[in-house]
Amino acid sequence: MTDHKDYFGESVAATYDESAAGMFTADAVDPAVAVLAELAGDGRALELGVGTGRIALPLAARGVEVHGIELSRAMADRLRAKPGGEAVGVTFGDFTTARAPGTFSVAYLVFNTIMNLTTQDAQVDCFRNVAAHLAPGGTFVIEVMVPQLRKLPPGQNAVPFHVGETRLGFDTYDTATQAMASHHVRVENGEGSFRSIPFRYVWPAELDLMARLAGMRLRDRWADWDRSPFTADSESHVSVWEKTDG
């Protein structure tokens, strides 16, 4: 996002919901929406990278006023075309700098989206931008993977995350820079395609320091939206930081 390149243009947006179908199931969505609705209370919610509305729409359906920041107009078009989509406001831009109107009780980044920011400076700027949107006592929630470096044997920089008959997915890591990329290979009906998206992986303790720089402190960290304990073996985490009065 620091280069403002849209990796989620029309060709990706057209099939995004289907390609990530597992993340649209009730088992994946409902626990996240329940936590976010509780944190929002009677206030407003801000989603960074609102996409096609996977979380924003069911959260709005629970009576929470939701506003999104989104770089991809193609993804936002899918959101607006869905039932209830007109109720979710969208501000277009990079969520390190774009300002949505008003203040919010909760802001959130889900499904590893913090890693779309490919430099540490951009990730720090994201926290500062969120803090500027939050009311005192408001919360910032991030759902993100724990870097899977323990799965890398010496001399290897790739970790597969999907191996199927028609699709292969693998992540590559640069441990010197914390740069990584997700690679997607598809072969269907005798035709192949390849797509690669850059990311920057980030550690939980690093995120805590970014939060402190922005005037927030860690309130909760769980392994998942079900609030299960975060341990050394957790492969992801849901973290909640609170904006301090200062």
Side-chain angles (χ1 to χ4, degrees):
M1 288 209 177
T2 51
D3 61 2
H4 301 279
K5 183 173 181 180
D6 183 1
Y7 288 95
F8 297 88
E10 181 60 38
S11 62
V12 175
T15 60
Y16 179 80
D17 289 13
E18 292 77 12
S19 65
M23 295 302 297
F24 282 80
T25 64
D27 287 344
V29 171
D30 291 353
V33 170
V35 170
L36 295 170
E38 179 183 322
L39 291 172
D42 295 329
R44 304 168 69 223
L46 176 66
E47 179 168 358
L48 310 183
V50 69
T52 65
R54 181 179 71 94
I55 299 297
L57 289 174
L59 184 58
R62 292 184 62 146
V64 177
E65 182 182 343
V66 183
H67 194 94
I69 295 177
E70 178 57 50
L71 187 64
S72 170
R73 292 184 179 273
M75 295 285 275
D77 286 344
R78 266 66 185 182
L79 161 64
R80 287 170 169 164
K82 293 178 179 179
E86 70 285 349
V88 178
V90 178
T91 296
F92 289 102
D94 183 329
F95 56 67
T96 63
T97 56
R99 291 299 305 269
T103 57
F104 298 85
S105 296
V106 63
Y108 60 95
L109 265 171
V110 296
F111 200 17
N112 301 321
T113 306
I114 184 64
M115 300 196 313
N116 285 54
L117 302 175
T118 56
T119 69
Q120 187 181 68
D121 283 346
Q123 291 170 346
V124 169
D125 288 344
C126 173
F127 273 80
R128 287 177 170 153
N129 193 31
V130 165
H133 283 89
L134 290 177
T139 53
F140 183 28
V141 186
I142 287 181
E143 174 196 29
V144 65
M145 63 175 281
V146 175
Q148 298 298 295
L149 302 189
R150 293 167 66 184
K151 294 182 178 180
L152 288 175
Q156 181 175 312
N157 71 338
V159 176
F161 58 82
H162 182 88
V163 178
E165 294 184 357
T166 62
R167 183 166 71 90
L168 170 65
F170 60 97
D171 292 326
T172 54
Y173 291 84
D174 183 339
T175 57
T177 64
Q178 291 182 220
M180 64 175 290
S182 288
H183 309 277
H184 305 262
V185 180
R186 289 182 180 273
V187 179
E188 297 177 310
N189 301 319
E191 296 185 357
S193 65
F194 173 76
R195 182 167 65 97
S196 181
I197 303 175
F199 298 103
R200 180 186 185 269
Y201 68 82
V202 61
W203 298 101
E206 190 180 7
L207 291 169
D208 292 343
L209 183 55
M210 294 178 186
R212 288 190 63 185
L213 292 172
M216 292 183 273
R217 63 184 179 188
L218 183 67
R219 196 172 91 177
D220 292 294
R221 174 164 289 135
W222 311 302
D224 207 341
W225 294 102
D226 61 4
R227 308 185 197 223
S228 53
F230 178 74
T231 72
D233 293 322
S234 299
E235 295 190 354
S236 63
H237 63 99
V238 175
S239 296
V240 183
W241 297 273
E242 183 176 21
K243 182 177 179 178
T244 62
D245 290 341

